[in-house]
Amino acid sequence: MALLEIDKLNTGYGEVQALWDVSLDIEGKGITALLGANGAGKTTLLNVITGLQKAWSGEIRFAGKNLFEIKPHNRVDLGIAMVPEGRGIFYDMSVYENLLMGAYTKNAREKTKDSLDWVYSIFPVLKERPEQMAGTLSGGEQQMLAIARALMSRPKLLLLDEVSTGLAPALVLTLMDILVNVAEKGLPMLLVEQHIEMALEVSRIGYVLENGRVVIQGESKDLRTDKKLREAYMGI
Ligand code: ATP
C-alpha cells in the first residue's frame, strides 16, 4: 500500500476545472516528482492534499485514512508538511523563532529539542545564526529555513513546491543532495518541480501533469529517456 493514494481527483476554481481525474501514489520511500509547465495544476494538487483547496470528487488516503474526513489543521498532526512556493517563512522573526513556529502541534512540541538538533545537523548554516532575522538571510538560506521549519513538525510526508526557484544552480544541487539524503533516511517527499531533468535525477517515481491531467507516469530512470517526455518538456 502506498503512503498517499490519490484516486480520480477532480477540483477547480469556480466553474473552471483545474484537475481532471488525477490518480497518483506516493510510496513510503524516497522522492516522487510531480512535473509540469506553469499552470498545469501542480500547486492545486498540493493544496488539495493539505486541505487549502477543496476536492470536487475523488479520494485521497493517507496511511490508509480518508484525508477528506480530517480537517486541514489536523493534517499536519497526522504527518503532512508542506514547504510552499515562495517559502512562507516569517521575515521579521529570527531563525530560531521560525523553527519553533514549525513545531506548533502538540506532538511536535514535545520533541522540539530533538527536532532542533536534527534540523541543525541537516542545515548547519542555521545552527550558526539562530538569532538572525529570517528576512536578512540569503535566498538559499531562506529556502533551507523553510524546509527546516517544515521538518520541525516531524512529518511522515514532506510536500515541496518548487523549492529550487530563484536559487543559483550550484545551490540547487546542494539542496537536492540534502533532500535525497533526508528522503533515503526515511522521509518520503513529493517534489514539485519545473526543472524536469534534475527532478528525475533525484526521484524514484515521476508524474507529469498537463492541463490538469496526468499524461506521463513511471519510474524516473525510465522517464529520463522517455522520447515523448523529452520532446514535449525538454525540447530535445
Ligand atoms: P505554477 O508552476 O505556475 O505554479 P501549477 O502547475 O502549480 O503552476 P496551479 O497553480 O495549480 O498550476 O494552477 C492550475 C490552474 O488553476 C491554472 O489554470 C491557474 O490559473 C488556476 N488557478 C490556480 N489558482 C487559482 C485561483 N486561486 N483562482 C482561480 N484559478 C486558479
Side-chain angles (χ1 to χ4, degrees):
M1 191 181 69
L3 176 65
L4 187 93
E5 298 169 288
I6 301 178
D7 193 29
K8 293 202 176 64
L9 181 72
N10 290 281
T11 191
Y13 303 91
E15 308 251 292
V16 182
Q17 188 154 354
L19 295 178
W20 303 75
D21 279 335
V22 169
S23 295
L24 179 152
D25 283 348
I26 301 178
E27 305 293 326
K29 226 174 144 184
I31 296 177
T32 302
L34 179 61
L35 313 167
N38 276 322
K42 305 178 300 294
T43 301
T44 301
L45 183 61
L46 294 187
N47 287 344
V48 178
I49 298 172
T50 60
L52 273 175
Q53 167 76 17
K54 268 205 167 16
W56 289 354
S57 64
E59 233 184 46
I60 306 186
R61 305 191 78 79
F62 180 70
K65 290 193 178 75
N66 177 357
L67 212 51
F68 296 152
E69 286 173 357
I70 296 157
K71 295 216 167 69
H73 62 270
N74 289 331
R75 293 185 196 179
V76 181
D77 242 343
L78 201 65
I80 300 175
M82 167 142 126
V83 181
E85 203 172 0
R87 300 166 195 151
I89 52 174
F90 302 102
Y91 292 101
D92 52 358
M93 290 170 91
S94 70
V95 166
Y96 177 72
E97 287 166 336
N98 266 280
L99 292 175
L100 288 192
M101 296 290 285
Y104 67 91
T105 65
K106 184 172 178 294
N107 214 348
R109 242 190 342 259
E110 285 163 3
K111 297 182 188 143
T112 301
K113 200 185 162 307
D114 254 18
S115 304
L116 276 172
D117 288 346
W118 181 45
V119 301
Y120 282 153
S121 73
I122 297 168
F123 299 112
V125 66
L126 300 178
K127 187 178 184 177
E128 289 161 17
R129 44 185 85 191
E131 302 305 329
Q132 188 170 337
M133 289 294 131
T136 66
L137 295 172
S138 72
E141 290 159 358
Q142 287 182 5
Q143 195 55 272
M144 292 178 190
L145 178 59
I147 296 168
R149 191 184 60 172
L151 294 178
M152 290 295 292
S153 72
R154 304 305 290 247
K156 297 188 176 78
L157 171 66
L158 185 62
L159 311 173
L160 299 149
D161 198 357
E162 303 200 7
V163 289
S164 66
T165 303
L167 304 185
L171 195 57
V172 173
L173 291 181
T174 307
L175 195 58
M176 289 300 139
D177 274 349
I178 293 172
L179 291 177
V180 168
N181 206 280
V182 174
E184 293 302 325
K185 284 191 178 139
L187 175 58
M189 301 180 189
L190 180 63
L191 179 73
V192 168
E193 260 303 326
Q194 287 198 32
H195 294 100
I196 293 184
E197 186 109 44
M198 179 197 71
L200 291 177
E201 285 289 330
V202 300
S203 59
R204 298 160 63 97
I205 304 284
Y207 289 83
V208 181
L209 271 184
E210 194 177 292
N211 298 324
R213 291 182 167 86
V214 174
V215 289
I216 301 173
Q217 67 185 82
E219 288 193 29
S220 301
K221 66 175 168 42
D222 300 330
L223 296 186
R224 284 204 289 270
T225 55
D226 186 280
K227 196 163 172 286
K228 187 171 149 208
L229 189 145
R230 293 182 76 82
E231 281 175 3
Y233 293 96
M234 299 182 192
I236 298 167

